[in-house]
Amino acid sequence: MVYLYKCSNNTCSFKFVTTNNTFISCPNCCEKVDIVDENYELPVKQYIPFKYDKVQANRSIKKFFEKTLVPITFRKNTNVKDIVQIYLPFFIYDVVVDGELAFNSNDYRYFKDKTYDYKETSSYLVRNNNHLEFNNIMSSSISSLSDSFSKSHFYYDELSYFESVDDILVGLGDLDSESKLGEVQVKCIDASISAVSNRIKHQENVLNNNSINVTSVSIKSILLPFFILNKKYRDKNYMIIVNGQTGKVIFSTDNVIYGIKEVVIFSILLFIV
């Protein structure tokens, strides 16, 4: 049987499926989960397979925190059973951008004589016809999922297909591909402007006219492999993410709230270094 779970936390509402009927907490927010269906059919079956297992993921986490300045809680040995192995649904966009960009470009030369300082300005109108292709732009199809997951990079020649769901969890999306398309298109156009501007060999380039448009979009729905480990520190939950294909750990220390003693110790260590 394939069980559909739903998080009881209304601000999360994360859904996932598995053949295991003993899960009690949400891998996304650690709140209680409930079984809402006992015979669920997966809507997405294309996936990139895991190349790491839980033991290898645990080693990656340990190595990461050995080199990262964090409270001792994060350095303590982790029980492999606490690591959740999960496939999460993403949209993969391939976007083609075409059109003309025009820039007002300037070069400056400075010189002086005994009396005055001079600034010489040479101005140009630079036009550029563009055809740019953006491939494999990732965007999560789960609204409550952290943006950190999209920082992972995956590589594949061809996709695999699920024949059955085992004990590995499979997350379910609550967004459609059109809801993220506008955001993806804006990013591609902005990246096109930046790329063309950086290629112009003048000291200053100011956009004069933008007539580029997205001319082609293709979208795939795909399941990507992750390991999730939640650690609690000072009454707050912190999510540690491991790419299931490359073993790369994703964790931001920016949101870690340190105690006074830890801040003092870290300050001394930084001063010594």
PDB file of all heavy atoms in Angstrom, residues 207-236:
ATOM      1  N   LEU A 207      21.411  50.657 -20.173  1.00  0.00           N
ATOM      2  CA  LEU A 207      20.401  50.121 -21.081  1.00  0.00           C
ATOM      3  C   LEU A 207      19.549  51.241 -21.662  1.00  0.00           C
ATOM      4  O   LEU A 207      18.985  52.054 -20.940  1.00  0.00           O
ATOM      5  CB  LEU A 207      19.513  49.119 -20.335  1.00  0.00           C
ATOM      6  CG  LEU A 207      18.466  48.379 -21.176  1.00  0.00           C
ATOM      7  CD1 LEU A 207      19.141  47.488 -22.213  1.00  0.00           C
ATOM      8  CD2 LEU A 207      17.569  47.537 -20.266  1.00  0.00           C
ATOM      9  N   ASN A 208      19.465  51.278 -22.992  1.00  0.00           N
ATOM     10  CA  ASN A 208      18.688  52.292 -23.690  1.00  0.00           C
ATOM     11  C   ASN A 208      17.361  51.741 -24.181  1.00  0.00           C
ATOM     12  O   ASN A 208      16.322  52.389 -24.079  1.00  0.00           O
ATOM     13  CB  ASN A 208      19.504  52.841 -24.869  1.00  0.00           C
ATOM     14  CG  ASN A 208      18.714  53.769 -25.770  1.00  0.00           C
ATOM     15  OD1 ASN A 208      17.916  53.327 -26.585  1.00  0.00           O
ATOM     16  ND2 ASN A 208      18.942  55.081 -25.614  1.00  0.00           N
ATOM     17  N   ASN A 209      17.395  50.516 -24.702  1.00  0.00           N
ATOM     18  CA  ASN A 209      16.174  49.920 -25.243  1.00  0.00           C
ATOM     19  C   ASN A 209      16.239  48.399 -25.083  1.00  0.00           C
ATOM     20  O   ASN A 209      17.269  47.779 -25.337  1.00  0.00           O
ATOM     21  CB  ASN A 209      16.012  50.276 -26.723  1.00  0.00           C
ATOM     22  CG  ASN A 209      14.733  49.693 -27.302  1.00  0.00           C
ATOM     23  OD1 ASN A 209      13.633  49.953 -26.818  1.00  0.00           O
ATOM     24  ND2 ASN A 209      14.864  48.878 -28.338  1.00  0.00           N
ATOM     25  N   ASN A 210      15.136  47.823 -24.642  1.00  0.00           N
ATOM     26  CA  ASN A 210      15.048  46.383 -24.445  1.00  0.00           C
ATOM     27  C   ASN A 210      13.860  45.845 -25.231  1.00  0.00           C
ATOM     28  O   ASN A 210      12.709  46.098 -24.883  1.00  0.00           O
ATOM     29  CB  ASN A 210      14.884  46.071 -22.951  1.00  0.00           C
ATOM     30  CG  ASN A 210      14.635  44.600 -22.694  1.00  0.00           C
ATOM     31  OD1 ASN A 210      14.809  43.760 -23.579  1.00  0.00           O
ATOM     32  ND2 ASN A 210      14.225  44.265 -21.472  1.00  0.00           N
ATOM     33  N   SER A 211      14.153  45.101 -26.302  1.00  0.00           N
ATOM     34  CA  SER A 211      13.071  44.499 -27.086  1.00  0.00           C
ATOM     35  C   SER A 211      13.207  42.982 -27.123  1.00  0.00           C
ATOM     36  O   SER A 211      12.740  42.325 -28.052  1.00  0.00           O
ATOM     37  CB  SER A 211      13.069  45.062 -28.513  1.00  0.00           C
ATOM     38  OG  SER A 211      14.278  44.732 -29.179  1.00  0.00           O
ATOM     39  N   ILE A 212      13.879  42.417 -26.112  1.00  0.00           N
ATOM     40  CA  ILE A 212      14.004  40.958 -26.081  1.00  0.00           C
ATOM     41  C   ILE A 212      12.786  40.338 -25.410  1.00  0.00           C
ATOM     42  O   ILE A 212      12.181  40.909 -24.507  1.00  0.00           O
ATOM     43  CB  ILE A 212      15.301  40.506 -25.382  1.00  0.00           C
ATOM     44  CG1 ILE A 212      15.354  40.970 -23.930  1.00  0.00           C
ATOM     45  CG2 ILE A 212      16.529  40.982 -26.132  1.00  0.00           C
ATOM     46  CD1 ILE A 212      16.541  40.403 -23.179  1.00  0.00           C
ATOM     47  N   ASN A 213      12.440  39.151 -25.867  1.00  0.00           N
ATOM     48  CA  ASN A 213      11.282  38.436 -25.351  1.00  0.00           C
ATOM     49  C   ASN A 213      11.595  36.954 -25.247  1.00  0.00           C
ATOM     50  O   ASN A 213      12.487  36.434 -25.937  1.00  0.00           O
ATOM     51  CB  ASN A 213      10.069  38.621 -26.281  1.00  0.00           C
ATOM     52  CG  ASN A 213       9.584  40.054 -26.324  1.00  0.00           C
ATOM     53  OD1 ASN A 213       9.007  40.551 -25.367  1.00  0.00           O
ATOM     54  ND2 ASN A 213       9.830  40.724 -27.440  1.00  0.00           N
ATOM     55  N   VAL A 214      10.845  36.275 -24.403  1.00  0.00           N
ATOM     56  CA  VAL A 214      10.930  34.819 -24.322  1.00  0.00           C
ATOM     57  C   VAL A 214      10.160  34.251 -25.507  1.00  0.00           C
ATOM     58  O   VAL A 214       8.978  34.534 -25.688  1.00  0.00           O
ATOM     59  CB  VAL A 214      10.340  34.302 -23.003  1.00  0.00           C
ATOM     60  CG1 VAL A 214      10.270  32.783 -23.011  1.00  0.00           C
ATOM     61  CG2 VAL A 214      11.166  34.800 -21.825  1.00  0.00           C
ATOM     62  N   THR A 215      10.852  33.472 -26.349  1.00  0.00           N
ATOM     63  CA  THR A 215      10.223  32.945 -27.571  1.00  0.00           C
ATOM     64  C   THR A 215       9.908  31.461 -27.490  1.00  0.00           C
ATOM     65  O   THR A 215       9.170  30.931 -28.323  1.00  0.00           O
ATOM     66  CB  THR A 215      11.130  33.202 -28.788  1.00  0.00           C
ATOM     67  OG1 THR A 215      12.430  32.644 -28.535  1.00  0.00           O
ATOM     68  CG2 THR A 215      11.276  34.698 -29.050  1.00  0.00           C
ATOM     69  N   SER A 216      10.469  30.776 -26.499  1.00  0.00           N
ATOM     70  CA  SER A 216      10.209  29.340 -26.378  1.00  0.00           C
ATOM     71  C   SER A 216      10.401  28.892 -24.939  1.00  0.00           C
ATOM     72  O   SER A 216      11.348  29.329 -24.265  1.00  0.00           O
ATOM     73  CB  SER A 216      11.153  28.552 -27.301  1.00  0.00           C
ATOM     74  OG  SER A 216      10.993  27.155 -27.113  1.00  0.00           O
ATOM     75  N   VAL A 217       9.492  28.049 -24.458  1.00  0.00           N
ATOM     76  CA  VAL A 217       9.597  27.491 -23.101  1.00  0.00           C
ATOM     77  C   VAL A 217       9.190  26.020 -23.147  1.00  0.00           C
ATOM     78  O   VAL A 217       8.166  25.670 -23.730  1.00  0.00           O
ATOM     79  CB  VAL A 217       8.677  28.228 -22.103  1.00  0.00           C
ATOM     80  CG1 VAL A 217       8.768  27.569 -20.731  1.00  0.00           C
ATOM     81  CG2 VAL A 217       9.042  29.701 -21.992  1.00  0.00           C
ATOM     82  N   SER A 218      10.012  25.178 -22.549  1.00  0.00           N
ATOM     83  CA  SER A 218       9.610  23.785 -22.346  1.00  0.00           C
ATOM     84  C   SER A 218       9.742  23.471 -20.861  1.00  0.00           C
ATOM     85  O   SER A 218      10.650  23.966 -20.187  1.00  0.00           O
ATOM     86  CB  SER A 218      10.463  22.824 -23.182  1.00  0.00           C
ATOM     87  OG  SER A 218      11.810  22.868 -22.782  1.00  0.00           O
ATOM     88  N   ILE A 219       8.833  22.648 -20.356  1.00  0.00           N
ATOM     89  CA  ILE A 219       8.763  22.392 -18.916  1.00  0.00           C
ATOM     90  C   ILE A 219       8.680  20.888 -18.666  1.00  0.00           C
ATOM     91  O   ILE A 219       7.906  20.180 -19.320  1.00  0.00           O
ATOM     92  CB  ILE A 219       7.531  23.081 -18.285  1.00  0.00           C
ATOM     93  CG1 ILE A 219       7.512  24.574 -18.635  1.00  0.00           C
ATOM     94  CG2 ILE A 219       7.536  22.902 -16.773  1.00  0.00           C
ATOM     95  CD1 ILE A 219       6.207  25.258 -18.263  1.00  0.00           C
ATOM     96  N   LYS A 220       9.485  20.419 -17.718  1.00  0.00           N
ATOM     97  CA  LYS A 220       9.411  19.034 -17.268  1.00  0.00           C
ATOM     98  C   LYS A 220       9.084  19.017 -15.778  1.00  0.00           C
ATOM     99  O   LYS A 220       9.525  19.895 -15.036  1.00  0.00           O
ATOM    100  CB  LYS A 220      10.743  18.306 -17.482  1.00  0.00           C
ATOM    101  CG  LYS A 220      11.139  18.098 -18.926  1.00  0.00           C
ATOM    102  CD  LYS A 220      12.343  17.155 -19.036  1.00  0.00           C
ATOM    103  CE  LYS A 220      13.606  17.802 -18.511  1.00  0.00           C
ATOM    104  NZ  LYS A 220      14.171  18.749 -19.455  1.00  0.00           N
ATOM    105  N   SER A 221       8.335  18.021 -15.362  1.00  0.00           N
ATOM    106  CA  SER A 221       8.130  17.770 -13.927  1.00  0.00           C
ATOM    107  C   SER A 221       9.010  16.598 -13.546  1.00  0.00           C
ATOM    108  O   SER A 221       9.001  15.559 -14.209  1.00  0.00           O
ATOM    109  CB  SER A 221       6.661  17.452 -13.636  1.00  0.00           C
ATOM    110  OG  SER A 221       5.851  18.575 -13.871  1.00  0.00           O
ATOM    111  N   ILE A 222       9.790  16.765 -12.482  1.00  0.00           N
ATOM    112  CA  ILE A 222      10.797  15.769 -12.153  1.00  0.00           C
ATOM    113  C   ILE A 222      10.953  15.679 -10.641  1.00  0.00           C
ATOM    114  O   ILE A 222      10.723  16.654  -9.916  1.00  0.00           O
ATOM    115  CB  ILE A 222      12.150  16.160 -12.823  1.00  0.00           C
ATOM    116  CG1 ILE A 222      13.201  15.089 -12.629  1.00  0.00           C
ATOM    117  CG2 ILE A 222      12.667  17.484 -12.306  1.00  0.00           C
ATOM    118  CD1 ILE A 222      14.484  15.349 -13.396  1.00  0.00           C
ATOM    119  N   LEU A 223      11.329  14.508 -10.161  1.00  0.00           N
ATOM    120  CA  LEU A 223      11.592  14.290  -8.739  1.00  0.00           C
ATOM    121  C   LEU A 223      13.104  14.265  -8.517  1.00  0.00           C
ATOM    122  O   LEU A 223      13.828  13.541  -9.206  1.00  0.00           O
ATOM    123  CB  LEU A 223      10.972  12.959  -8.283  1.00  0.00           C
ATOM    124  CG  LEU A 223       9.443  12.903  -8.346  1.00  0.00           C
ATOM    125  CD1 LEU A 223       8.958  11.461  -8.192  1.00  0.00           C
ATOM    126  CD2 LEU A 223       8.818  13.789  -7.279  1.00  0.00           C
ATOM    127  N   LEU A 224      13.574  15.066  -7.561  1.00  0.00           N
ATOM    128  CA  LEU A 224      15.004  15.192  -7.301  1.00  0.00           C
ATOM    129  C   LEU A 224      15.345  14.617  -5.921  1.00  0.00           C
ATOM    130  O   LEU A 224      14.574  14.759  -4.974  1.00  0.00           O
ATOM    131  CB  LEU A 224      15.428  16.659  -7.370  1.00  0.00           C
ATOM    132  CG  LEU A 224      15.179  17.352  -8.713  1.00  0.00           C
ATOM    133  CD1 LEU A 224      15.627  18.808  -8.653  1.00  0.00           C
ATOM    134  CD2 LEU A 224      15.908  16.632  -9.847  1.00  0.00           C
ATOM    135  N   PRO A 225      16.513  13.976  -5.793  1.00  0.00           N
ATOM    136  CA  PRO A 225      16.858  13.261  -4.547  1.00  0.00           C
ATOM    137  C   PRO A 225      17.526  14.140  -3.495  1.00  0.00           C
ATOM    138  O   PRO A 225      18.511  14.828  -3.766  1.00  0.00           O
ATOM    139  CB  PRO A 225      17.839  12.187  -5.042  1.00  0.00           C
ATOM    140  CG  PRO A 225      18.532  12.842  -6.218  1.00  0.00           C
ATOM    141  CD  PRO A 225      17.501  13.741  -6.864  1.00  0.00           C
ATOM    142  N   PHE A 226      17.008  14.083  -2.274  1.00  0.00           N
ATOM    143  CA  PHE A 226      17.573  14.860  -1.164  1.00  0.00           C
ATOM    144  C   PHE A 226      17.583  14.022   0.113  1.00  0.00           C
ATOM    145  O   PHE A 226      16.793  13.090   0.279  1.00  0.00           O
ATOM    146  CB  PHE A 226      16.740  16.115  -0.884  1.00  0.00           C
ATOM    147  CG  PHE A 226      16.789  17.160  -1.961  1.00  0.00           C
ATOM    148  CD1 PHE A 226      15.805  17.216  -2.936  1.00  0.00           C
ATOM    149  CD2 PHE A 226      17.820  18.097  -1.996  1.00  0.00           C
ATOM    150  CE1 PHE A 226      15.841  18.186  -3.929  1.00  0.00           C
ATOM    151  CE2 PHE A 226      17.866  19.066  -2.980  1.00  0.00           C
ATOM    152  CZ  PHE A 226      16.875  19.110  -3.953  1.00  0.00           C
ATOM    153  N   PHE A 227      18.489  14.398   1.009  1.00  0.00           N
ATOM    154  CA  PHE A 227      18.439  13.950   2.400  1.00  0.00           C
ATOM    155  C   PHE A 227      18.144  15.173   3.254  1.00  0.00           C
ATOM    156  O   PHE A 227      18.672  16.264   2.997  1.00  0.00           O
ATOM    157  CB  PHE A 227      19.775  13.338   2.839  1.00  0.00           C
ATOM    158  CG  PHE A 227      20.137  12.073   2.119  1.00  0.00           C
ATOM    159  CD1 PHE A 227      21.012  12.110   1.041  1.00  0.00           C
ATOM    160  CD2 PHE A 227      19.615  10.852   2.508  1.00  0.00           C
ATOM    161  CE1 PHE A 227      21.359  10.958   0.364  1.00  0.00           C
ATOM    162  CE2 PHE A 227      19.951   9.680   1.839  1.00  0.00           C
ATOM    163  CZ  PHE A 227      20.825   9.735   0.762  1.00  0.00           C
ATOM    164  N   ILE A 228      17.294  15.008   4.258  1.00  0.00           N
ATOM    165  CA  ILE A 228      16.953  16.098   5.163  1.00  0.00           C
ATOM    166  C   ILE A 228      17.250  15.669   6.593  1.00  0.00           C
ATOM    167  O   ILE A 228      16.853  14.581   7.029  1.00  0.00           O
ATOM    168  CB  ILE A 228      15.460  16.491   5.046  1.00  0.00           C
ATOM    169  CG1 ILE A 228      15.139  17.003   3.639  1.00  0.00           C
ATOM    170  CG2 ILE A 228      15.096  17.555   6.084  1.00  0.00           C
ATOM    171  CD1 ILE A 228      13.659  17.274   3.423  1.00  0.00           C
ATOM    172  N   LEU A 229      17.956  16.530   7.314  1.00  0.00           N
ATOM    173  CA  LEU A 229      18.187  16.310   8.734  1.00  0.00           C
ATOM    174  C   LEU A 229      17.765  17.560   9.491  1.00  0.00           C
ATOM    175  O   LEU A 229      18.238  18.662   9.198  1.00  0.00           O
ATOM    176  CB  LEU A 229      19.669  16.017   9.007  1.00  0.00           C
ATOM    177  CG  LEU A 229      20.066  15.912  10.486  1.00  0.00           C
ATOM    178  CD1 LEU A 229      19.366  14.727  11.150  1.00  0.00           C
ATOM    179  CD2 LEU A 229      21.580  15.790  10.636  1.00  0.00           C
ATOM    180  N   ASN A 230      16.855  17.411  10.432  1.00  0.00           N
ATOM    181  CA  ASN A 230      16.413  18.537  11.253  1.00  0.00           C
ATOM    182  C   ASN A 230      17.083  18.466  12.619  1.00  0.00           C
ATOM    183  O   ASN A 230      17.029  17.437  13.301  1.00  0.00           O
ATOM    184  CB  ASN A 230      14.890  18.501  11.420  1.00  0.00           C
ATOM    185  CG  ASN A 230      14.174  18.903  10.146  1.00  0.00           C
ATOM    186  OD1 ASN A 230      14.255  20.047   9.728  1.00  0.00           O
ATOM    187  ND2 ASN A 230      13.485  17.954   9.517  1.00  0.00           N
ATOM    188  N   LYS A 231      17.741  19.553  13.003  1.00  0.00           N
ATOM    189  CA  LYS A 231      18.367  19.640  14.321  1.00  0.00           C
ATOM    190  C   LYS A 231      17.729  20.769  15.110  1.00  0.00           C
ATOM    191  O   LYS A 231      17.506  21.851  14.571  1.00  0.00           O
ATOM    192  CB  LYS A 231      19.876  19.884  14.200  1.00  0.00           C
ATOM    193  CG  LYS A 231      20.690  18.622  13.924  1.00  0.00           C
ATOM    194  CD  LYS A 231      22.167  18.903  13.997  1.00  0.00           C
ATOM    195  CE  LYS A 231      22.990  17.633  13.808  1.00  0.00           C
ATOM    196  NZ  LYS A 231      23.027  16.799  15.017  1.00  0.00           N
ATOM    197  N   LYS A 232      17.456  20.509  16.373  1.00  0.00           N
ATOM    198  CA  LYS A 232      16.856  21.526  17.228  1.00  0.00           C
ATOM    199  C   LYS A 232      17.931  22.162  18.086  1.00  0.00           C
ATOM    200  O   LYS A 232      18.755  21.470  18.693  1.00  0.00           O
ATOM    201  CB  LYS A 232      15.775  20.921  18.112  1.00  0.00           C
ATOM    202  CG  LYS A 232      14.803  21.942  18.678  1.00  0.00           C
ATOM    203  CD  LYS A 232      13.508  21.287  19.122  1.00  0.00           C
ATOM    204  CE  LYS A 232      12.469  22.345  19.441  1.00  0.00           C
ATOM    205  NZ  LYS A 232      11.169  21.752  19.780  1.00  0.00           N
ATOM    206  N   TYR A 233      17.939  23.495  18.110  1.00  0.00           N
ATOM    207  CA  TYR A 233      18.919  24.228  18.895  1.00  0.00           C
ATOM    208  C   TYR A 233      18.267  25.491  19.442  1.00  0.00           C
ATOM    209  O   TYR A 233      17.677  26.268  18.691  1.00  0.00           O
ATOM    210  CB  TYR A 233      20.137  24.582  18.028  1.00  0.00           C
ATOM    211  CG  TYR A 233      21.111  25.520  18.704  1.00  0.00           C
ATOM    212  CD1 TYR A 233      21.869  25.101  19.796  1.00  0.00           C
ATOM    213  CD2 TYR A 233      21.271  26.830  18.260  1.00  0.00           C
ATOM    214  CE1 TYR A 233      22.745  25.960  20.424  1.00  0.00           C
ATOM    215  CE2 TYR A 233      22.143  27.698  18.879  1.00  0.00           C
ATOM    216  CZ  TYR A 233      22.875  27.261  19.956  1.00  0.00           C
ATOM    217  OH  TYR A 233      23.747  28.111  20.580  1.00  0.00           O
ATOM    218  N   ARG A 234      18.324  25.662  20.763  1.00  0.00           N
ATOM    219  CA  ARG A 234      17.733  26.821  21.444  1.00  0.00           C
ATOM    220  C   ARG A 234      16.266  27.022  21.022  1.00  0.00           C
ATOM    221  O   ARG A 234      15.844  28.099  20.625  1.00  0.00           O
ATOM    222  CB  ARG A 234      18.555  28.072  21.180  1.00  0.00           C
ATOM    223  CG  ARG A 234      19.979  27.975  21.746  1.00  0.00           C
ATOM    224  CD  ARG A 234      20.803  29.223  21.445  1.00  0.00           C
ATOM    225  NE  ARG A 234      20.281  30.390  22.129  1.00  0.00           N
ATOM    226  CZ  ARG A 234      20.566  30.714  23.394  1.00  0.00           C
ATOM    227  NH1 ARG A 234      21.384  29.938  24.103  1.00  0.00           N
ATOM    228  NH2 ARG A 234      20.066  31.797  23.943  1.00  0.00           N
ATOM    229  N   ASP A 235      15.509  25.917  21.065  1.00  0.00           N
ATOM    230  CA  ASP A 235      14.064  25.906  20.792  1.00  0.00           C
ATOM    231  C   ASP A 235      13.706  26.279  19.353  1.00  0.00           C
ATOM    232  O   ASP A 235      12.566  26.652  19.062  1.00  0.00           O
ATOM    233  CB  ASP A 235      13.321  26.850  21.748  1.00  0.00           C
ATOM    234  CG  ASP A 235      13.441  26.412  23.199  1.00  0.00           C
ATOM    235  OD1 ASP A 235      13.460  25.185  23.428  1.00  0.00           O
ATOM    236  OD2 ASP A 235      13.527  27.283  24.081  1.00  0.00           O
ATOM    237  N   LYS A 236      14.664  26.187  18.462  1.00  0.00           N
ATOM    238  CA  LYS A 236      14.378  26.462  17.058  1.00  0.00           C
ATOM    239  C   LYS A 236      14.873  25.295  16.207  1.00  0.00           C
ATOM    240  O   LYS A 236      15.936  24.729  16.481  1.00  0.00           O
ATOM    241  CB  LYS A 236      15.053  27.764  16.617  1.00  0.00           C
ATOM    242  CG  LYS A 236      14.738  28.162  15.182  1.00  0.00           C
ATOM    243  CD  LYS A 236      15.374  29.494  14.813  1.00  0.00           C
ATOM    244  CE  LYS A 236      15.074  29.843  13.353  1.00  0.00           C
ATOM    245  NZ  LYS A 236      15.704  31.130  12.941  1.00  0.00           N
TER     246      LYS A 236
END
